Amino acid sequence: MKRVPPPHPHPSRPAFVLPRNACDTHVHVYGPAARFPLDPARAYDPPDAPIERLEALHRLLGVDRAVLVQATVHGTDNSAMLDAIARAPRRYRGVALVEDDVSPRRLEQLHEQGVRGVRYNFMPHLGQSADTDKVRAVAERIAPLGWHVQLHVTAAHLGALRGFLESLPVPFVIDHMGRTMVADGLDQQPLADLLDVLRHPRAWLKISGPERISAALSRQDRPYADAAPFVRRMLDVAPDRIVWGTDWPHPNVREVPDDGKLVDLLPLYSDDPAALDRVLVDNPRRLYGYD
C-alpha cells in the first residue's frame, strides 16, 4: 500500500497576519491509529496526524477556526474527526463521510456534534467515484439541516457533472480549485468550465491546494505563486462563495508544503483586504454556521 509522508516538520511563521476568526476550511486528522483504526479498504497509508499537532500548527499560523474534513483513510467511521471537534466545538466544524443509507436521525446526531456537510469523491486514485443518484438522495436528507455537499472532483469532469450539480437541493463545494493545473494556462477549458459552474448561486469553491496545481516546486522564493492568477479569476466570479484551506497534513501531494508559506500566498490572491476577510472569515461563517 502507498505510504504518504508526514506533515512538514518545521512549518514557518507566516509574515501575513490572518484576521480574527480566520478559518482553515480544509484539514484532516489521522488517528492516532492505536485509538482510531484506519479503514482496511483505504487507498493509502498515512502516519498519525492527530488533533494536537493540528492545534499547534494553527497557533503558529494564527488560525482561530477550522473545518475538519473526514479523511478517506478512516472511511465512514467519523470517530477521530468527531473527537477532535468535541475538544473545541465553538472553533471546529466537520464534513463527514456517510453511508448511502444514512438515516435522518444519524444525520441529526452528526449535526449536534458539529458536522455541516458530507463529502463525496470523484477522484479515481481514491477509489470508485460516487453514484450521483445516491448523492442526490443523501442531499435531500441533509437539506433540512442546512448542510452542503462537498465534492473532490477535477474541473475537467465538471462539464459531465453540471446537470447533476445544478439538480442538488443544497449548496455544493468544489475542493482544491478543481485541480486546474497551472501548466495548462489560463485559457484552458477546465478553468472555463469551473468558472462557469461557479456562477451558479449554490456553487462554492475552496482555494486550497496551490501546491497541487502549481507548475513549480517549493524551491522558488514564493512557493506556488503561479497559482495566484487562477485564484484571482475565481474571486472575480464568486467573491462571496469562496473559502480557503491549507489541506493539512497534505495527503498525496508531490511535496509536502510549508503551511506558513501557504498563508503568505493570500496577499497575492487579492489587493483588497476586505475581499480576503470575506474569504477567511465571513464566507466560512455562513457556510459552516458559526455563531
Side-chain angles (χ1 to χ4, degrees), residues 94-137:
V95 175
L97 296 180
V98 299
E99 303 287 353
D100 293 332
D101 61 354
V102 63
S103 69
R105 178 58 188 146
R106 178 56 183 151
L107 293 171
E108 289 170 3
Q109 291 172 339
L110 289 171
H111 186 85
E112 293 165 2
Q113 293 172 292
V115 173
R116 294 297 182 266
V118 291
R119 191 188 196 205
Y120 288 96
N121 165 56
F122 290 87
M123 302 294 290
H125 73 278
L126 293 176
Q128 184 174 356
S129 292
D131 182 304
T132 54
D133 289 336
K134 293 177 179 177
V135 175
R136 191 181 293 106

Side-chain angles (χ1 to χ4, degrees), residues 20-31:
R20 184 173 179 270
N21 289 328
C23 187
D24 181 348
T25 71
H26 198 101
V27 295
H28 309 286
V29 289
Y30 300 146

Side-chain angles (χ1 to χ4, degrees), residues 222-226 228-229 231-232 264-271 276:
R222 301 196 79 165
Y224 323 122
D226 57 352
V231 176
R232 285 175 173 263
D264 279 338
L265 287 177
L266 284 163
L268 302 184
Y269 295 163
S270 176
D271 301 319
L276 292 179

Side-chain angles (χ1 to χ4, degrees), residues 201-217:
R202 288 195 303 278
W204 289 69
L205 181 71
K206 290 191 177 184
I207 51 170
S208 52
E211 75 279 5
R212 295 181 182 275
I213 71 168
S214 175
L217 295 177

Side-chain angles (χ1 to χ4, degrees), residues 159-237:
L161 291 171
R162 183 164 182 173
F164 155 70
L165 295 175
E166 295 183 355
S167 75
L168 292 173
V170 296
F172 56 93
V173 183
I174 298 169
D175 281 352
H176 305 323
M177 298 185 271
R179 305 285 191 111
T180 49
M181 304 305 292
V182 167
D184 295 332
L186 287 168
D187 294 329
Q188 61 179 285
Q189 188 60 45
L191 178 59
D193 290 343
L194 174 65
L195 298 178
D196 204 25
V197 167
L198 194 53
R199 292 183 176 92
H200 191 279
R202 288 195 303 278
W204 289 69
L205 181 71
K206 290 191 177 184
I207 51 170
S208 52
E211 75 279 5
R212 295 181 182 275
I213 71 168
S214 175
L217 295 177
S218 62
R219 290 183 293 273
Q220 61 187 149
D221 290 338
R222 301 196 79 165
Y224 323 122
D226 57 352
F230 287 71
V231 176
R232 285 175 173 263
R233 291 272 182 99
M234 298 163 190
L235 284 170
D236 284 344
V237 170

Side-chain angles (χ1 to χ4, degrees), residues 55-128:
E55 288 173 329
L57 173 70
H58 280 165
R59 285 193 296 271
L60 176 72
L61 301 182
V63 169
D64 291 327
R65 294 172 170 172
V67 179
L68 306 175
V69 178
Q70 171 71 353
T72 59
V73 296
H74 283 295
T76 56
D77 181 353
N78 295 280
S79 300
M81 179 190 73
L82 295 173
D83 176 76
I85 294 172
R87 293 169 180 251
R90 293 178 65 86
R91 292 182 58 203
Y92 295 140
R93 295 289 184 267
V95 175
L97 296 180
V98 299
E99 303 287 353
D100 293 332
D101 61 354
V102 63
S103 69
R105 178 58 188 146
R106 178 56 183 151
L107 293 171
E108 289 170 3
Q109 291 172 339
L110 289 171
H111 186 85
E112 293 165 2
Q113 293 172 292
V115 173
R116 294 297 182 266
V118 291
R119 191 188 196 205
Y120 288 96
N121 165 56
F122 290 87
M123 302 294 290
H125 73 278
L126 293 176
Q128 184 174 356

